[in-house]
């Protein structure tokens, strides 16, 4: 039912909502301790706290600064180092911590940072895969497991979670985030912060400080090209990019990392508006901001800072508190302050924030509290941790297609042929960003499937995936010429009842510095798939990838497709349990799969345009001439072995006053043969507003378990938080008008109703 009179007055009545974070209140006792300590510190020692060095083995960026190990040790001794990254293991961390605590004038402990992105040694699915579970409890648990292993290895602080919203699958780093949606991204960001930081008291030595990164808009790099510039308007910045960061700040996150990109011409590292006005002042963030690796120095290459000194000045004044691997604060900030070119208050603010987090982590009470070799041995790789990452891996799998009842596989009497280099890989499933993991420690799909002994299982590799073994620091070179193994695979396929093909990207094909212009199956894999299809069409395609892929031919022709990402240490067990039906998949895509690269950016929460449909049966409407404008697989999409039906959508009233609780109910029924789980999704559309709103926006989701034949009444409550949006000045507002409510199992198949707000 339309409520047009409300639409007419929609712009007149607007409420602005206060958005200051409640979670970042200061503890007066800690502040007093910081006052006392800072009153004893020299300017050199203060700037020293703002200096971070890389460790001695792992490199996660261009060549590290800071000189040899000896030089680094010397500077620690002089109190000129506040933090180190990628030092790991109790023994190694103790060695550097002892110098800071026992040999410096003031004994200020170091804070040890590390990229704990999806697990430490026991590896969870890549973050994008975890997001596909929509399971906040499981995601929190996964971060908790990662935190416990990292903490047991002496680490105090992780450079995660990444919460960059991205609509561009060419950008390799989409694997590290939660996909394209700010609502889902915000919930997942908060769950991860809770998993890493626990209740934010750090009483447990198994919790570590987390970092919201990359602030901000890194996911919008032009053309999906790594380290590129970002041009972005306020509407997208406030409504899409910033909400997950706000959610992390509200959850009490202790640090924020700059992004490499410029935003409308200003490097994020020097973006005073975002860092000081929004993050530190408006949101009340009380932790500290760390630069990204060399991002202060890179402002010179950007053509923003004329030299290192200018870069140091811009970064510190903007609110970048710690220098990661630019090596610029230490040599320049002291003089800049002494010469009156930078106010000492900027340095003091940075140091206070860094010391605050060190105090909160308990490092002053006991700098060795994370350094217990017994705990290190017992925690890392424990059975419980393996169980947790297996659970997470199963929940992350998305069933994209299942025809001819190919899945689940029968457990006996079948001849199964397993194909593809990725099927036997024990390295690729660990994905990118798993620096502490030992190579080749994942359970492969081959190993996982061997555990099911009722069938005859045959494995043939087929054409090699790559020409050399990929690593974290080098490009992945796909095989595009050598067809050796193809004939053997074809012959084997002729005799199989079902062919399971594991294809996709190697784990090191996504992540930092892995942008691609072509997101088809790389190398010879599509040809391999087509050749096998000619001799046996009963194919289950298991995809391994860190980003959406353009798999049009497969999607049209292959009867069963399982999205299995890079699922971590327990990958092969998770995939096999899903293939054999011991686990009924329930994952839903957190990112749209395009039909081709030319559609990018393609995302579900777009604006309508003025000509969305072909209403006049001529060419003048918003479309492409050569391909449908719809995605290949939409956001929120994912099947189950069972079927779900949505009906009976009701809203408790037709017209609401502001502040009233809006209740949306509907019936969800499992109409299929299997028990299963469904991620029920709720979207709204603010039909007319002072700033045009998307055609739909996710505003709620619930995971519902239903036995075969069972149905349940599901309720969602909508409040002003879900109905409002940010105006172009960054104020959160709620406007009167008509709202469409949609519910369903993905962002396209939805049932709907409407209500008015006055
Ligand atoms: C650069 C990456 O952008 C960032 O995410 C990471 O935390 C640092 N390097 C440290 O490895």
């Amino acid at each position: 039912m339309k409520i047009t009179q409300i639409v007419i007055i929609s712009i007149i009545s607007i409420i602005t909502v206060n958005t200051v974070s409640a979670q970042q209140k200061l503890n007066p006792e800690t502040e007093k301790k910081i006052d006392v300590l800072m009153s004893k510190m020299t300017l050199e020692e203060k700037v020293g706290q703002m200096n971070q060095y890389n460790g001695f083995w792992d490199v996660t960026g261009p060549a590290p600064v800071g000189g040899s190990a000896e030089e680094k040790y010397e500077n620690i001794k002089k109190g000129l180092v506040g933090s180190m990254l990628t030092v790991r293991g109790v023994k190694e961390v103790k060695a550097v911590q002892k110098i800071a605590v026992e040999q410096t004038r003031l004994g200020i402990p170091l804070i040890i940072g590390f990229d704990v992105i999806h697990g430490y040694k026991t590896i969870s699915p890549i973050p994008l895969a975890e997001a596909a579970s929509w399971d906040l409890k499981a995601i929190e648990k996964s971060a908790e497991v990662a935190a416990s292993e990292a903490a047991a290895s002496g680490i105090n602080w992780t450079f995660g979670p990444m919460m960059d919203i991205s609509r561009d699958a060419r950008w390799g780093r989409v694997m590290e985030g939660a996909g394209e949606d700010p609502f889902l991204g915000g919930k997942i960001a908060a769950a991860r912060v809770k998993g890493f930081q626990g209740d934010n008291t750090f009483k447990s030595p198994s919790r570590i400080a987390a970092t919201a990164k990359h602030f901000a808009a890194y996911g919008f790099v032009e053309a999906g090209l790594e380290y590129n510039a970002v041009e972005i308007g306020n509407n997208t910045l406030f409504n899409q990019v910033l909400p997950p960061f706000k959610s992390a700040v509200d959850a009490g996150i202790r640090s924020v990392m700059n992004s490499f990109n410029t935003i409308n011409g200003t490097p994020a590292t020097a973006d005073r508006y975002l860092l000081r006005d929004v993050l530190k002042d408006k949101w009340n963030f009380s932790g500290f901001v760390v630069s990204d690796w060399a991002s202060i120095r890179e402002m010179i290459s950007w053509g923003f800072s004329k030299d290192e000194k200018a870069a140091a000045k811009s970064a510190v004044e903007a609110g970048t508190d710690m220098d990661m691997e630019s090596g610029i604060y230490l040599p320049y900030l002291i003089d800049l302050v002494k010469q009156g070119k930078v106010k000492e208050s900027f340095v003091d603010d940075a140091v206070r924030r860094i010391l605050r987090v060190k105090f909160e982590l308990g490092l002053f009470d006991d700098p060795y509290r994370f350094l217990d070799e017994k705990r290190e041995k017992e925690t890392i790789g424990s059975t419980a941790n393996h169980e947790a990452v297996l659970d997470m891996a199963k929940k992350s799998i998305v069933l994209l297609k299942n025809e001819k009842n190919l899945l689940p596989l029968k457990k006996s009497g079948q001849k199964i042929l397993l194909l593809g280099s990725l099927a036997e890989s024990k390295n690729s499933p660990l994905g990118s960003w798993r620096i502490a993991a030992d190579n080749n420690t994942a359970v492969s799909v081959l190993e996982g499937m061997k555990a099911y002994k009722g069938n005859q299982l045959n494995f043939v590799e087929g054409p090699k995936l790559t020409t050399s073994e990929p690593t974290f620091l080098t490009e992945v070179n796909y095989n595009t010429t050598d067809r050796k193994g193809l004939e053997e695979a074809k012959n084997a396929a002729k005799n199989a009842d079902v062919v399971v093909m594991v294809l996709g990207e190697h784990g090191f094909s996504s992540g930092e510095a892995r942008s691609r212009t072509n997101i088809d199956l790389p190398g010879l894999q599509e040809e391999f798939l087509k050749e096998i299809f000619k001799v046996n069409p009963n194919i289950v395609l298991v995809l391994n990838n860190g980003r959406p892929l353009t798999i049009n031919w497969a999607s049209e022709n292959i009867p069963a497709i399982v999205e299995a990402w890079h699922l971590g240490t327990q990958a092969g067990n998770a995939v096999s349990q899903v293939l054999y039906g011991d686990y009924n998949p329930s994952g839903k895509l957190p990112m749209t799969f395009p039909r081709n690269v030319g559609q990018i950016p393609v995302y579900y929460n777009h604006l309508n345009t003025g000509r969305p449909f072909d209403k006049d049966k001529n060419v003048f409407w918003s479309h492409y001439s050569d391909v449908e404008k719809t995605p290949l697989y939409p956001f929120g999409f994912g099947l189950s072995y069972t079927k779900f039906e949505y009906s009976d959508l009701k809203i408790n009233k037709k017209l609401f006053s502001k502040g009233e609780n809006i209740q949306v109910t509907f019936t969800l029924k499992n109409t299929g043969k299997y028990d299963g789980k469904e991620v029920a999704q709720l979207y709204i559309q603010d039909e007319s507003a002072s700033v045009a709103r998307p055609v739909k926006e996710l505003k709620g989701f619930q995971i519902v378990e239903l036995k075969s034949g069972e149905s349940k009444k599901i309720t969602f409550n909508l409040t002003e938080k879900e109905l409002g949006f940010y105006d172009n000045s960054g104020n959160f507002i709620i406007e009167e008008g008509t709202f469409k409510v949609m519910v369903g199992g993905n962002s396209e198949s939805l049932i709907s109703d409407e209500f008015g707000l006055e």
Side-chain angles (χ1 to χ4, degrees), residues 60 115 159 173 213-214 257 260 292-293 324 433 512:
T60 58
D115 287 287
F159 304 131
R173 299 202 83 165
K213 72 185 189 185
H214 304 82
M257 185 186 287
F260 287 123
D292 202 345
W293 182 295
M324 176 196 285
W433 279 121
E512 187 177 349

Side-chain angles (χ1 to χ4, degrees), residues 50-54 61-67 72 83 85 258-260 269 290-302 305 307-309 311-313 315-316 320 322-332:
M50 300 165 71
N51 180 36
Q52 185 189 51
Y53 282 150
N54 189 53
V65 297
K72 287 181 184 173
S83 170
L85 76 146
N258 293 150
S259 54
F260 287 123
T269 304
V290 61
S291 78
D292 202 345
W293 182 295
S295 71
I296 303 178
R297 175 183 300 276
E298 287 171 10
M299 294 200 292
I300 303 169
S301 311
W302 274 115
S305 304
D307 53 24
E308 294 182 349
K309 202 180 211 176
K313 179 172 156 64
V316 76
T320 297
M322 187 180 278
D323 171 357
M324 176 196 285
E325 280 298 317
S326 286
I328 277 185
Y329 276 178
L330 198 55
Y332 295 104

Side-chain angles (χ1 to χ4, degrees), residues 152-195:
S153 185
I155 287 149
N156 322 127
W157 167 36
T158 173
F159 304 131
M162 183 183 109
M163 49 199 69
D164 296 309
I165 297 299
S166 181
R167 299 159 168 178
D168 196 330
R170 292 171 297 183
W171 190 51
R173 299 202 83 165
V174 299
M175 58 93 29
E176 288 177 62
E180 73 190 33
D181 183 64
F183 181 84
L184 180 62
K187 297 276 179 209
I188 290 177
R192 288 190 167 131
V193 174
K194 195 150 179 239

